[in-house]
Amino acid sequence: MQSYTIGQAARLLGVSPDTARRWADAGRVATHRDASGRRLVDGRDLAAFAIEVAQNGQGGQGGQSGQDEEEPFTSTRNAFPGIITSVRLGDVAAQVEIQAGPHRLVSLVTREAVEELGLEVGMRATARVKSTSVHIDRG
């Protein structure tokens, strides 16, 4: 299972590293130390905590790039880096949920795509949205 540093967890949660560190110090999210002494958060624990933070309205802005690796070349401009919180497999299709800061994104993709990408709860992923039809509600 993938683990995340406090800084990586903060980016996925849409908060500052100081906020993520305070949450870890308070025991709100479990951490463990690697061989070099860095505090890490297990991916599954972070996924569950990301849902809790979003439901309580405590996350940051989300939808911003903050990944360590270089962004791919793409025409899709709406990128939501986050953490996979749910994968539901059907016979042909699959439903994948990503928590990107305060934003919950749900995508229906083929089961084959999920298996080829090796998607599972706790993994970092980016939801990319490109649409010719965007609906806006007056708030």
Side-chain angles (χ1 to χ4, degrees):
M1 171 50 52
Q2 187 165 0
S3 292
Y4 300 93
T5 65
I6 294 293
Q8 290 170 327
R11 283 192 297 277
L12 292 169
L13 294 169
V15 299
S16 73
D18 286 337
T19 297
R21 203 170 289 110
R22 281 192 300 272
W23 286 344
D25 290 344
R28 292 192 57 200
V29 63
T31 62
H32 62 279
R33 297 213 182 254
D34 67 7
S36 64
R38 294 182 309 167
R39 282 201 302 185
L40 301 174
V41 180
D42 178 76
R44 288 191 180 272
D45 291 339
L46 184 59
F49 186 65
I51 293 169
E52 176 190 325
V53 167
Q55 288 175 342
N56 293 329
Q58 297 168 322
Q61 290 303 308
Q64 301 168 357
S65 178
Q67 296 186 2
D68 297 330
E69 58 271 352
E70 187 176 310
E71 286 289 320
F73 292 103
T74 178
S75 65
T76 307
R77 298 292 178 236
N78 303 306
F80 296 87
I83 189 166
I84 297 174
T85 57
S86 174
V87 177
R88 294 185 188 101
L89 296 174
D91 291 337
V92 177
Q95 179 179 312
V96 179
E97 293 184 25
I98 294 177
Q99 193 69 45
H103 308 289
R104 175 180 164 259
L105 297 116
V106 180
S107 179
L108 296 176
V109 297
T110 64
R111 179 185 181 119
E112 180 181 21
V114 168
E115 290 170 348
E116 284 179 5
L117 291 169
L119 301 180
E120 60 183 41
V121 172
M123 289 181 70
R124 182 174 60 190
T126 300
R128 295 194 184 276
V129 180
K130 184 169 184 173
S131 177
T132 57
S133 177
V134 176
H135 300 263
I136 299 174
D137 294 336
R138 194 175 83 196

